[in-house]
Amino acid sequence: MKKTKQLYEGKAKKVYLTDSPELLIVEYKDDATAFNGLKKGSIAGKGVINNQMSNRLMERLEQAGIPTHYVEELSERETVVKKVSIVPLEVIIRNISAGSFSKKYGVEEGIVFDQPTIEFSYKNDDLGDPLLNDYHALALKLATPEEIETIKKYAFQVNEVLKAFWNECGITLVDFKLEFGKTSDGSIILADEISPDTCRLWDSKTKEKLDKDRFRRDMGGVEDAYSEVMNRLLNHK
Ligand code: ADP
Ligand code: UDP
């Protein structure tokens, strides 16, 4: 598998075409951004951790019957994935109040919901990823009704698998963002990444934040938090 041409450079990853038309190589960077790119920085070793963590989690999701783009880890920062056409929706699942939910609805962080919530944002940096509902997504032709149903079903399944897994690592899965894509045969699969950049992860006992909120909120100890989460994952039996 060889990189042929860079297709895209995003905020956290570079994406390359390969000698196989159905496959891409993603390369994880240490660059970190927040607040739609307003805050910029770097988290040493993040690319290596996010690459490997995302791959291990996607392997687990595959085992649980959820199709993902993961194909093969090439190096500590590079992974071969199935090429998809990304559905331009950020799919957010929440188990506990935090972040924009707390701000928008005026509630403290840490309220445990009776059942998880799901919301969509339109993946569009120029518009600041505005929140939208199913009807808006259909009106904008971002996905078909069947695709939206499939995405919701997979997203809740991902939540159950990851919640249980992180719980066994002594970590509470607060909320997370997923992206889905369409393969050349039209099926919906999970794409992008699952990492402390895209999930809120709290130590189950101390409630200490072990994710990108440490960067967003200038809390310090960012690298240590990412390493701690990776070590817990690696030590999981
Ligand atoms: P951003 O675009 O938000 O800055 P990244 O730096 O993570 O984010 O860039 C990775 C880009 O690759 C994202 O736009 C993401 O939607 C896209 N992507 C992720 N997985 C795949 C895939 N399997 N096929 C095609 N594109 C993908
Ligand atoms: N998230 C993400 N990318 C985004 C927006 C959110 O990965 O562009 C993740 C974020 O890390 C958190 C969850 O989605 O785990 C919910 O984020 P929220 O809506 O609370 O927004 P934020 O506080 O990041 O502005």
Side-chain angles (χ1 to χ4, degrees), residues 11 35 90-94 98-102 104 119 121 129 174-179 195-201 211-213 216-217:
K11 297 185 287 285
F35 314 118
E90 300 205 331
V91 181
I92 293 171
I93 296 270
R94 300 176 193 272
S100 72
F101 184 97
S102 288
K104 193 177 289 125
E119 72 210 42
S121 297
D129 297 338
V174 174
D175 59 27
F176 57 95
K177 182 268 299 180
L178 301 175
E179 291 181 27
S195 72
D197 272 15
T198 64
C199 302
R200 285 197 170 91
L201 302 165
D211 57 60
K212 195 169 153 188
D213 271 347
R216 293 189 187 100
R217 302 177 190 189

Side-chain angles (χ1 to χ4, degrees), residues 8 10-13 15 24 69 82 84 86 123 179 192:
Y8 178 77
K11 297 185 287 285
K13 302 190 281 299
V15 181
L24 298 174
H69 73 165
K82 290 179 194 152
V84 295
I86 293 283
K123 194 172 147 60
E179 291 181 27
D192 206 50

Side-chain angles (χ1 to χ4, degrees), residues 6 17 77 141 181:
Q6 185 175 305
L17 294 172
R77 286 180 189 271
K141 297 197 166 33

Side-chain angles (χ1 to χ4, degrees), residues 193-211:
E193 70 175 277
I194 308 174
S195 72
D197 272 15
T198 64
C199 302
R200 285 197 170 91
L201 302 165
W202 293 354
D203 181 277
S204 302
K205 282 209 190 83
T206 66
K207 312 283 182 232
E208 189 190 359
K209 295 185 197 306
L210 299 173
D211 57 60

